């Protein structure tokens, strides 16, 4: 290929229309794809995440080859594999002598920094292209957010709806007259009719080979591969999206904030793994939701609730990430310093809600939004677990975790570590919220109605301790005013008992003694 372009495709850039693949000349250019140890271990990713990415990469390379595109594919077990991305690019440049290297903007700051350093060492130009598989470019988001006091998601979402003409009437007003139908999305989940099964994709020969390799190389990583069922090809991802729209989307809106024992997926779309790899593109997901509503298949509240997640939240968190990095990763506005207790990995805790979520992520590398935000995220916020280990946990346990989307959700939304960039008020809640949104409390050793007793739900005391600890920070915040008023109404002796209970809960967690079974006898 001497003189042509070496086109690097990263593990989460598996889209045929990728910017870095445009204008490709199969007679002169070569695509480079490399499985590298460093990317599997810089965080000890869930085994399902590694299998998902490597299997999807192998399938994608196969699809390019069918199109007649030359691909240099480096497997993990290649004896000459250098183990790092930079090492593989350098080796390919040495072997193939390209005239330039073309790279599509990586999804993580860490990798972007690495790519920026390549040109000097390689001796050939490195062309960095914008990743346009998003509905809002990085620069566009910056231009919108710059100078705006409180660049909130809800405002951004309206701009995106207008710009892309999604769920809009011809006169420029939102479909149905409102931008947001959350008030219609609060129905309790009563298990009848049953939730349609999620489509599970039985591993094919390629995936099975990767599974065996991952067990050998990364057997000590978190999670199990049993029941691996993620789509690993574009065709599978499209099928999964179609099944969601046809079967579960009608129930998506009204139950989206619910949690239920034995129902890890409920009515959620399970499209984040495919979107984040590039097997699906956000505009086709959004278009499918809008089409389902226009065809009368799903209510507007379901379509709007779903569109808000993809067109709104997903684009917004990416914008925040690139506008705020690298400093964003180090934010710790609430001075949270506690170590993460061992039960975050084992699930061995008497807290039924936490046990459910940890076991679910071990088995499926998945938890839905409210489980991530209001169970584990909420506990981390209230207890004051340090952002570093909390982020590492989220990056490790989920099949859809990439820093651009994980970090703002954890730093900003769950931990309020960014001091209010993502939300004016922390997502803090006592056990009553979890009780209202799930059936977990009914099966729990703790008593969700008790505040300070020995068997009281830990979330209750931790909640008031959190509010008391951060009273000075939040007292000027209008959205926190009712909470502060309730705190101030608590008799001092009661508050002291609650805070003593919180201290005991935290000490027991620290000592690894929290998992006391059947506290209520
Ligand atoms: C603490 C925390 C950590 C998270 N970490 C990740 C992560 O590592 N990777 C990830 O993709 N999502 C993350 N999310 C967002 C969200 O929880 C997942 O996208 C969603 O649960 C994926 O499941 P689903 O495809 O069934 O989503 P659905 O509930 O069906 O939603 C549809 C789609 O909307 C998008 N979406 C919804 N909410 C968000 C959000 N807050 N940010 C970005 N996209 C959103 C996703 O692409 C998702 O696939 C996190 C949320 C929280 C609160
Ligand atoms: S009682 Fe508390 S710890 Fe137990 S499930 Fe309910 S919220 Fe979780």
């Amino acid at each position: 290929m001497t003189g042509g372009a070496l086109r690097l495709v990263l593990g989460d850039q598996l889209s045929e229309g990728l910017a870095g693949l445009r204008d490709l000349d199969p007679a002169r250019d070569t695509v480079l794809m490399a499985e590298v140890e460093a990317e599997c271990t810089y965080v000890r990713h869930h085994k399902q995440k590694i299998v998902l990415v490597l299997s999807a990469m192998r399938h994608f390379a196969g699809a390019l080859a069918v199109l007649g595109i030359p691909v240099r594919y480096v497997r993990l077990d290649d004896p000459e594999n250098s183990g790092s991305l930079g090492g593989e690019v350098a080796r390919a440049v040495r072997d193939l002598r390209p005239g330039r290297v073309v790279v599509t903007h990586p999804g993580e700051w860490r990798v972007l920094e690495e790519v920026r350093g390549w040109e000097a060492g390689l001796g050939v130009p490195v062309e960095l292209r914008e990743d346009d598989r998003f509905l809002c470019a990085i620069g566009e988001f910056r231009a919108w957010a710059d100078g705006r006091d409180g660049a909130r998601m809800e405002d951004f979402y309206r701009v995106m709806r207008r710009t892309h003409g999604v769920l809009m009437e011809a006169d420029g007003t939102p479909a149905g007259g409102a931008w947001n139908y959350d008030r219609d999305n609060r129905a309790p989940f009563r298990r009848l009719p049953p939730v349609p099964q999620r489509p599970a994709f039985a591993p094919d020969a390629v995936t099975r080979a990767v599974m065996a390799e991952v067990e050998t190389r990364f057997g000590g990583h978190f999670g199990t591969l049993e029941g691996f069922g993620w789509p690993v090809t574009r065709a599978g991802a499209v099928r999964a999206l179609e099944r969601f729209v046809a079967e579960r989307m009608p129930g998506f809106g009204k139950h989206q904030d619910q949690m239920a024992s034995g129902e890890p997926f409920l009515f959620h779309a399970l499209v984040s793994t495919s979107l984040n790899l590039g097997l699906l593109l956000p505009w086709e997901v959004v278009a499918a939701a809008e089409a389902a509503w226009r065809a009368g298949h799903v209510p507007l509240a379901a379509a709007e609730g779903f569109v808000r997640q993809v067109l709104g939240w997903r684009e917004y968190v990416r914008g925040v990430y690139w506008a705020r990095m690298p400093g964003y990763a180090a934010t710790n506005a609430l001075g949270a310093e506690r170590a993460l207790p061992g039960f975050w990995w084992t699930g061995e805790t008497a807290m039924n809600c936490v046990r459910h979520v940890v076991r679910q992520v071990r088995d499926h590398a998945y938890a839905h939004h409210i489980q991530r935000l209001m169970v584990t995220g909420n506990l981390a916020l209230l207890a004051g677990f340090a952002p570093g280990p909390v982020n590492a946990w989220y990056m490790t346990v989920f099949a859809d975790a990439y820093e651009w989307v994980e970090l703002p959700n954890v730093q900003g939304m769950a931990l309020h570590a960014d001091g209010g960039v993502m939300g004016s008020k922390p997502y803090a809640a006592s056990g009553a919220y979890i009780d209202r949104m799930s059936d977990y409390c009914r099966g729990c050793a703790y008593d969700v109605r008790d505040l300070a007793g020995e068997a009281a739900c830990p979330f209750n005391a931790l909640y008031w301790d959190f509010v008391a600890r951060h009273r000075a920070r939040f007292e000027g915040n209008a959205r926190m005013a009712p909470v502060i008023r309730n705190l101030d109404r608590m008799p001092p002796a009661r508050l002291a008992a609650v805070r003593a209970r919180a201290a005991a809960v935290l000490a027991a967690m620290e000592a690894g003694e929290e998992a006391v079974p059947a506290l209520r006898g």
Side-chain angles (χ1 to χ4, degrees):
M1 76 167 289
T2 309
L6 180 70
R7 295 170 185 267
L8 178 65
V9 172
L10 299 171
D12 59 354
Q13 297 183 339
L14 310 183
S15 318
E16 280 178 16
L18 189 75
L21 293 178
R22 277 176 218 151
D23 65 13
L24 181 146
D25 177 357
R28 304 188 71 225
D29 301 349
T30 298
V31 169
L32 170 65
M33 296 180 71
E35 301 174 357
V36 290
E37 179 101 10
E39 291 301 312
C40 301
T41 54
Y42 81 95
V43 168
R44 286 166 59 86
H45 298 289
H46 194 298
K47 284 186 249 178
Q48 290 199 21
K49 162 93 179 286
I50 303 178
V51 170
L52 170 67
V53 176
L54 298 189
S55 175
M57 285 174 71
R58 290 183 190 186
H59 281 96
F60 185 74
L64 292 183
V66 168
L67 295 174
I69 297 172
V71 181
R72 173 178 165 117
Y73 193 93
V74 185
R75 288 186 182 231
L76 265 183
D77 61 1
D78 182 331
E80 291 185 46
N81 190 326
S82 62
S84 77
L85 213 49
E88 283 316 296
V89 172
R91 203 158 67 85
V93 168
R94 229 174 19 246
D95 293 351
L96 303 173
R97 301 169 171 278
R100 64 196 167 118
V101 175
V102 177
V103 182
T104 308
H105 195 291
E108 300 194 354
W109 179 270
R110 172 187 63 86
V111 183
L112 180 65
E113 283 297 278
E114 195 186 328
V115 171
R116 281 185 175 143
W118 284 349
E119 192 163 287
L122 290 175
V124 290
V126 174
E127 183 192 336
L128 185 63
R129 294 189 180 172
E130 171 148 14
D131 185 356
D132 51 14
R133 296 172 305 158
F134 291 86
L135 287 149
C136 182
I138 292 170
E140 254 178 84
F141 183 88
R142 272 217 188 92
W144 171 79
D146 267 2
R148 197 172 280 265
D149 193 18
R152 298 285 176 226
M153 201 309 277
E154 204 57 41
D155 301 330
F156 172 76
Y157 171 55
R158 292 178 189 197
V159 173
M160 292 294 281
R161 287 267 297 273
R162 283 199 192 96
T163 307
H164 295 277
V166 177
L167 295 178
M168 298 298 291
E169 305 290 0
D171 65 359
T173 58
W179 292 101
N180 179 319
Y181 289 90
D182 260 354
R183 62 172 189 278
D184 299 343
N185 285 342
R186 301 207 173 108
F189 171 61
R190 303 208 190 282
R191 293 184 186 269
L192 284 174
V195 183
Q197 290 270 304
R198 75 150 171 169
F201 296 82
D204 64 3
V206 173
T207 304
R208 286 198 301 276
V210 178
M211 287 165 93
E213 210 171 327
V214 166
E215 283 295 9
T216 308
R217 282 175 181 267
F218 310 112
H221 282 214
F222 180 78
T224 170
L225 283 178
E226 272 166 48
F228 178 94
W230 297 108
V232 293
T233 61
R234 160 93 184 145
V238 169
R239 221 163 44 247
L241 174 64
E242 287 168 355
R243 288 270 308 268
F244 163 68
V245 172
E247 298 165 11
R248 299 193 310 287
M249 196 172 170
F252 174 85
K254 60 183 178 211
H255 300 308
Q256 68 176 300
D257 290 350
Q258 298 282 309
M259 301 176 278
S261 314
E263 292 288 359
F265 312 115
L266 279 169
F267 294 89
H268 292 273
L270 307 175
V271 290
S272 54
T273 53
S274 299
L275 276 169
N276 296 351
L277 284 174
L279 300 178
L280 288 177
L281 296 166
W283 45 89
E284 57 191 348
V285 173
V286 167
E290 175 157 10
W293 168 65
R294 293 204 183 272
H297 173 61
V298 304
L300 179 56
E304 188 284 313
F306 182 75
V307 162
R308 182 154 21 100
Q309 309 309 314
V310 181
L311 181 68
W313 279 110
R314 186 170 187 269
E315 298 290 331
Y316 177 77
V317 300
R318 177 174 183 261
V320 168
Y321 178 80
W322 287 109
R324 302 255 164 191
M325 281 297 279
Y328 200 70
T331 53
N332 189 1
L334 300 183
E337 301 293 351
R338 266 175 211 286
L340 209 57
F343 63 76
W344 275 62
W345 299 101
T346 63
E348 285 172 21
T349 165
M351 288 183 280
N352 196 31
C353 51
V354 178
R355 190 168 60 226
H356 257 85
V357 175
V358 174
R359 290 185 179 175
Q360 187 180 310
V361 294
R362 178 196 62 196
D363 294 346
H364 302 294
Y366 177 85
H368 58 75
H369 189 70
I370 289 297
Q371 293 176 311
R372 298 186 204 202
L373 183 63
M374 298 312 293
V375 177
T376 43
N378 186 25
L379 179 61
L381 170 74
L382 301 183
F385 296 142
V390 176
N391 276 294
W393 185 84
Y394 277 93
M395 276 297 289
T396 301
V397 305
F398 291 108
D400 60 15
Y402 299 86
E403 196 184 71
W404 66 264
V405 52
E406 175 276 337
L407 189 74
N409 272 298
V410 173
Q411 287 295 97
M413 207 187 277
L415 299 183
H416 205 74
D418 65 6
V421 172
M422 292 257 304
S424 56
K425 168 180 181 291
Y427 284 93
S430 69
Y433 174 87
I434 295 173
D435 193 28
R436 199 162 58 247
M437 305 312 281
S438 77
D439 60 358
Y440 294 146
C441 301
R442 268 173 265 156
C444 188
Y446 291 111
D447 184 352
V448 74
R449 289 174 308 277
D450 192 1
L451 193 52
E454 267 192 29
C457 166
F459 281 87
N460 292 342
L462 290 177
Y463 175 76
W464 288 111
D465 186 60
F466 170 82
V467 178
R469 234 168 41 236
H470 298 293
R471 191 188 186 292
R473 166 177 277 272
F474 293 127
E475 71 182 341
N477 181 329
R479 295 189 65 205
M480 289 294 280
V483 176
I484 302 285
R485 270 199 303 278
N486 283 340
L487 176 76
D488 291 346
R489 272 190 217 120
M490 217 183 273
R494 181 76 170 147
L495 181 59
V498 170
R499 299 199 70 181
R501 165 72 183 151
V505 164
L506 291 170
M509 283 181 188
E510 206 166 310
E513 290 165 359
E514 186 281 322
V516 185
L519 283 172
R520 280 198 285 169

